[in-house]
Amino acid sequence: MDFTPLFHNFAKHITLTKTEEKYITSLLDFKIIKAKEFLVQQGEISKQSAFVLNGCLRGYTIDSEGTEHVLSFAPKDWWIADMYSLLSQKPGNLNIEAMVDTEVALISKTNQDLMYEKVPKLERFFRIIIEKSLVAYQQRLNDNLSLTATERYMKFCKTYPQLINDIPQKQIAAYIGVTPEFLSKLRAKQVKAK
Amino acid sequence: MDFTPLFHNFAKHITLTKTEEKYITSLLDFKIIKAKEFLVQQGEISKQSAFVLNGCLRGYTIDSEGTEHVLSFAPKDWWIADMYSLLSQKPGNLNIEAMVDTEVALISKTNQDLMYEKVPKLERFFRIIIEKSLVAYQQRLNDNLSLTATERYMKFCKTYPQLINDIPQKQIAAYIGVTPEFLSKLRAKQVKAK
DNA sequence: ATCATTTCTTAATCTAGGTTAAGTATTTTC
DNA sequence: GAAAATACTTAACCTAGATTAAGAAATGAT
């Protein structure tokens, strides 16, 4: 149960004292999520955010046809949560599932609010990472409005080179917004083009 | 030049003293943007965020084919900025244009950073509104991945009832991600269905 | 190692939504 | 208030990507 990667993450934007680190540690939970198990499932009210210490989670929704849509992958050093449910305290529609056995640091909403009071610097930290996340989602929405499936796939490959070989293609398809069959067709065409 | 709506907006999440309000006011600029004029254009490095006192702005990109994609409408009481450019201080790809004559309160990035130092409560305020914005973009991305054009149009009508009659249909089309011709077809079908 | 499950590929067929084009409102501008 | 510009509609035709289906390859469980 080593939270070092989390404190490295904090250190990217703020400086914490040893005392503050100990205090924060006291508010964290550690959990191992086995492959294919869930951190949250749709319909539940989310109680916590997760920071991935190692392994990989994915957040996805299931639409009325039963099709999955991946909203985010969270490999090592990424934050993930059903922000909608966490903020509104209403049932969410996100499933957060482990793609491989995954270790996470968990912060409950209650403890996060406590942390903000006791260590106001964290308010800045989370403002900054949420800003970055917002920019990424705006960019991705824009990509979905303006790029073809092929362009989105190529962009995904550039943006997540480490994930390409580690995750099933059907998950990439569910992220860029095409069927697995069509992604397969695209890739076959690209190979020929070389 | 009346910033009252902005302080009402702050009051939704934090409480400011009169002194703090005066200090913040000293860091704001007031500007009238005439219809069809720009607050920012793609290629520029954004220097400020805007809060709409009255009127309406829209943020859109133009893709390689010359097609416009609306990322956000900002009517009265909304915040808008090219967050990517503002945070990275690199040239952005967002155009922010007034749809009608619009009055805005502007905060430069420099002054915003100053404000965070002097009035740390604002750090919380902006964390909260950015969180909400993030949830909205996640939801919208999910809608674009999982809903049909008709469903997205109906959802837009529910979400922005006040905008429906005030903005050109082609802007709604550029927001939900269809051509104006196709939106026109959808609407004709809906009218018949009644 | 073997069987079962899941993932990936290929190919034929289909469709939501795009494109092109031409005509009809509706605004804007002077 | 007439002319020009912009927005909206309709319709014929087109295409990127979906669907269906069936086989091949990879992974996992026992």
Side-chain angles (χ1 to χ4, degrees):
Chain A
M1 168 159 90
D2 173 19
F3 292 136
T4 318
L6 174 56
F7 289 106
H8 280 312
N9 196 254
F10 284 138
K12 284 186 184 170
H13 301 295
I14 55 171
T15 307
L16 294 170
T17 65
K18 284 290 160 205
T19 321
E20 286 166 339
E21 289 196 358
K22 270 192 190 136
Y23 173 70
I24 292 167
T25 302
S26 78
L27 298 181
L28 298 174
D29 285 316
F30 173 83
K31 191 171 180 182
I32 294 179
I33 308 169
K34 289 269 183 67
K36 301 200 179 175
E37 286 183 353
F38 292 87
L39 175 62
V40 204
Q41 264 183 293
Q42 59 190 158
E44 294 175 10
I45 295 176
S46 279
K47 299 287 179 208
Q48 51 206 1
S49 313
F51 176 84
V52 177
L53 297 164
N54 62 59
C56 189
L57 301 178
R58 64 185 249 269
Y60 65 95
T61 59
I62 300 177
D63 68 22
S64 55
E65 319 275 74
T67 308
E68 292 185 2
H69 304 282
V70 174
L71 284 188
S72 67
F73 292 110
K76 190 173 181 335
D77 288 337
W78 283 56
W79 290 89
I80 189 168
D82 182 340
M83 290 282 289
Y84 166 74
S85 176
L86 200 64
L87 294 182
S88 66
Q89 286 298 294
K90 291 179 190 165
N93 61 343
L94 200 66
N95 299 284
I96 300 181
E97 187 186 322
M99 304 182 72
V100 294
D101 292 357
T102 300
E103 294 183 347
V104 294
L106 297 175
I107 308 185
S108 71
K109 189 180 153 54
T110 321
N111 281 350
Q112 184 149 12
D113 288 339
L114 251 177
M115 267 168 41
Y116 286 144
E117 298 303 330
K118 292 280 176 60
V119 190
K121 266 178 284 190
L122 289 170
E123 199 97 57
R124 166 166 303 185
F125 175 80
F126 284 102
R127 172 181 59 79
I128 293 172
I129 66 163
I130 291 165
E131 277 174 353
K132 290 188 177 198
S133 182
L134 176 60
V135 168
Y137 274 100
Q138 281 180 340
Q139 182 61 56
R140 190 165 156 210
L141 176 64
N142 191 53
D143 289 347
N144 274 277
L145 291 172
S146 58
L147 304 180
T148 64
T150 311
E151 290 168 330
R152 274 176 277 142
Y153 177 62
M154 292 190 314
K155 199 157 180 178
F156 182 90
C157 293
K158 265 191 200 160
T159 313
Y160 301 96
Q162 75 289 14
L163 285 182
I164 292 294
N165 304 308
D166 287 0
I167 70 181
Q169 263 180 57
K170 57 180 289 199
Q171 309 290 8
I172 300 176
Y175 182 98
I176 63 176
V178 293
T179 57
E181 293 84 352
F182 189 69
L183 178 55
S184 186
K185 194 151 84 178
L186 289 186
R187 297 183 75 238
K189 218 178 290 172
Q190 286 188 348
V191 170
K192 268 184 210 157
K194 280 181 190 169
Chain B
M1 167 160 87
D2 173 19
F3 292 135
T4 318
L6 174 56
F7 289 106
H8 280 313
N9 194 252
F10 284 138
K12 284 186 183 171
H13 301 296
I14 54 170
T15 307
L16 294 170
T17 63
K18 284 290 160 205
T19 320
E20 287 166 339
E21 290 196 356
K22 271 195 188 133
Y23 172 70
I24 293 168
T25 301
S26 78
L27 298 180
L28 298 174
D29 285 317
F30 173 83
K31 190 171 180 182
I32 294 179
I33 308 169
K34 290 270 182 69
K36 301 199 180 176
E37 287 183 353
F38 292 87
L39 175 61
V40 203
Q41 264 182 294
Q42 59 189 158
E44 294 175 9
I45 295 177
S46 280
K47 300 288 179 208
Q48 51 205 358
S49 312
F51 176 84
V52 177
L53 297 164
N54 61 60
C56 190
L57 303 178
R58 64 185 250 266
Y60 65 96
T61 59
I62 300 176
D63 68 22
S64 54
E65 320 274 72
T67 308
E68 293 185 4
H69 304 282
V70 174
L71 284 188
S72 67
F73 293 110
K76 191 175 180 337
D77 288 336
W78 284 56
W79 290 89
I80 189 168
D82 182 341
M83 290 283 289
Y84 165 75
S85 175
L86 199 64
L87 294 181
S88 67
Q89 287 297 296
K90 291 179 191 164
N93 61 342
L94 200 66
N95 299 282
I96 301 181
E97 186 185 322
M99 303 181 72
V100 294
D101 293 357
T102 300
E103 294 183 347
V104 293
L106 297 175
I107 308 185
S108 71
K109 189 179 153 55
T110 320
N111 282 350
Q112 185 148 13
D113 288 339
L114 251 176
M115 267 168 40
Y116 286 143
E117 298 303 331
K118 292 280 175 62
V119 190
K121 267 178 285 189
L122 289 170
E123 198 97 56
R124 165 165 305 184
F125 175 80
F126 284 102
R127 172 179 60 77
I128 293 173
I129 65 163
I130 291 164
E131 277 173 354
K132 291 188 177 200
S133 182
L134 175 60
V135 167
Y137 274 100
Q138 280 180 341
Q139 181 61 56
R140 191 166 155 207
L141 175 64
N142 191 53
D143 289 348
N144 274 277
L145 292 171
S146 58
L147 303 181
T148 63
T150 310
E151 291 167 329
R152 274 176 277 141
Y153 177 61
M154 291 190 314
K155 197 156 182 180
F156 182 89
C157 293
K158 265 191 200 160
T159 314
Y160 301 97
Q162 75 288 15
L163 285 182
I164 291 293
N165 303 308
D166 288 0
I167 70 181
Q169 263 180 57
K170 58 180 291 202
Q171 310 289 7
I172 300 177
Y175 181 97
I176 65 176
V178 294
T179 57
E181 292 85 351
F182 189 68
L183 178 55
S184 186
K185 195 151 81 177
L186 289 186
R187 298 184 75 238
K189 219 179 290 174
Q190 285 189 348
V191 170
K192 268 183 208 157
K194 282 181 188 170

